[in-house]
Every structure is written in structure tokens, then in C-alpha cells.
Amino acid sequence: MLADIKKALLSGIMISVGGAVYLSCIAKGYTWLGAVLFASGLYTICEYGFNLYTGKVGYIAFRFTDFSYVRLVLLVLICNLLTTFLLGILLRNVFPLIKQEAEKIYAAKLTVPYWKSFVSGIFCGLLMFLSVDTWKRGSKIGCFIYIPVFILCGFDHSIANSLYNGIALGEHTFTVQNLLFVLTVIAGNAAGGMTVPLLTRGNQNETQVSAPKQ
């Protein structure tokens, strides 16, 4: 368990790095560059085998009765959220430039109806699953295709959002509205991540999509 926690914390750190460079690029007028560089976080996570919620939750669709794996995903989620949120609080006090961008982004997210946030989370979860699964199949370029796509589309990533939430710490942070938003995106990411596995369970040999061994 300790090893899984460490790998989940490292994923939180790398998503924070990716989110920070993305916000910095936005502030300087290079949103497209930030979308590409954000992928550096997932690249590192995949390369080193770290634990990221949005990279693991989709595989639950292959093992609904494997409660040990479900517990692992929940543990990873909690560690990812806490790491990014706390690092967000740290970054807001060190880099005022990204603080301003995060506040604008997160404030806008909280004005969106929950059902739209859920749909946004679904599309992000789908793209995250494809990023990780194509990596497992040997195609590392997928990471630098699917990640910029979800970033530029504005789809909601629960772990990246936790970073923005920490950087934009304020009156909204510990409210029911924010809690519901966080849970909605988490659920959306899970639904999106399970889409491909659920729709390909009958032809895994053709798609090469399979559950992880761990």
C-alpha cells in the first residue's frame, strides 16, 4: 500500500507541474503551448508507472468484482486530490501570475451546470483512458495527442481541477457547491474512462484493450 501511495503522490506532483506550466503559458498568451506541455506530466506518469486516478479508473470496467482494485483506485484518487490541492495552495503563494489565471478558470467552472460538468468530465475521462491505453500498446505519441485535445476543448480533469482549486483558494473552496462540482467531475471521469472498455469487452483481441495486471 505504501508503494501505491508514493506513486499516487508522485502523480499528483507531476499533474501539478503540468498544470502550472499550462497556467503560465495562458498568462503569457501561449495557450496552445501550455496544452502541449501539460502532457509532460502524463508522459512522466506513464513512463515511470506512477498512479493516476484518471489513468486507472477506466480499467474497473474489466474487473467490477475485483474490490482490491477498486480500493486501489479510490486510494489513488484521494492521494492525487490531496497532493494537487496542497501543492496548489503552495503555488498560489509563490507564483502570483498563475494564481490570477487559476482564479479566473475555476470561477468560470463553478458557474457551469452540473450536468454539463459531468459531460465535460466524461470526454476528459475518455481521452485520458486512450492516452494511457495507447501507451500500454506501445504508442507513446497518443499522450501528446489526447492531452492537448482535452485541454484545448476545456474538458474537466478532476485531478488538474484540484490543483486549480488549491491555487484559487477562497470563499468558494469549502462550499457545498464546490464539493458537488468536484464529485460530479470525478464521476464523469470515471464514466468516460470506462466507455471504451465497456464497449470493447466482447472484442478485446481486436482492440488490444485489456485490464492492467496490478
Side-chain angles (χ1 to χ4, degrees):
M1 177 182 289
L2 181 59
D4 288 321
I5 291 176
K6 288 180 179 179
K7 287 193 278 188
L9 296 179
L10 287 166
S11 281
I13 292 172
M14 292 315 304
I15 292 298
S16 297
V17 171
V21 71
Y22 170 61
L23 293 173
S24 296
C25 286
I26 291 179
K28 297 173 183 177
Y30 297 104
T31 301
W32 64 271
L33 179 60
V36 174
L37 293 179
F38 186 99
S40 64
L42 184 66
Y43 178 89
T44 305
I45 290 168
C46 290
E47 183 68 22
Y48 285 88
F50 298 155
N51 290 336
L52 180 65
Y53 169 71
T54 49
K56 287 186 170 296
V57 67
Y59 294 99
I60 290 178
F62 289 118
R63 49 207 304 181
F64 284 117
T65 59
D66 186 350
F67 297 112
S68 62
Y69 184 74
V70 174
R71 286 195 296 270
L72 170 63
V73 173
L74 291 176
L75 175 65
V76 168
L77 171 63
I78 293 171
C79 292
N80 288 169
L81 290 174
L82 286 176
T83 304
T84 48
F85 181 71
L86 292 176
L87 285 177
I89 295 175
L90 174 64
L91 291 174
R92 74 177 264 111
N93 293 307
V94 178
F95 302 107
L97 185 65
I98 66 173
K99 173 186 173 183
Q100 297 173 9
E101 295 301 328
E103 288 175 343
K104 288 189 290 186
I105 290 174
Y106 207 79
K109 289 180 180 295
L110 292 180
T111 64
V112 177
Y114 294 122
W115 71 269
K116 289 186 178 181
S117 297
F118 180 71
V119 172
S120 176
I122 289 176
F123 279 104
C124 178
L126 171 66
L127 292 169
M128 286 299 298
F129 174 83
L130 291 173
S131 296
V132 172
D133 204 69
T134 53
W135 181 285
K136 293 177 182 293
R137 294 167 57 185
S139 180
K140 298 184 178 182
I141 190 63
C143 175
F144 293 97
I145 295 176
Y146 299 118
I147 301 304
V149 168
F150 101 69
I151 290 288
L152 293 175
C153 287
F155 297 148
D156 281 292
H157 187 287
S158 54
I159 309 306
N161 278 357
S162 182
L163 172 72
Y164 306 148
N165 191 13
I167 299 176
L169 185 71
E171 295 180 354
H172 70 275
T173 305
F174 301 104
T175 62
V176 174
Q177 178 192 19
N178 192 32
L179 176 61
L180 291 175
F181 168 69
V182 170
L183 294 176
T184 298
V185 175
I186 289 173
N189 288 165
M194 294 182 197
T195 299
V196 172
L198 286 174
L199 294 178
T200 58
R201 290 185 70 174
N203 60 333
Q204 288 183 33
N205 290 334
E206 296 178 16
T207 62
Q208 301 180 41
V209 177
S210 59
K213 294 181 180 180
Q214 67 178 39

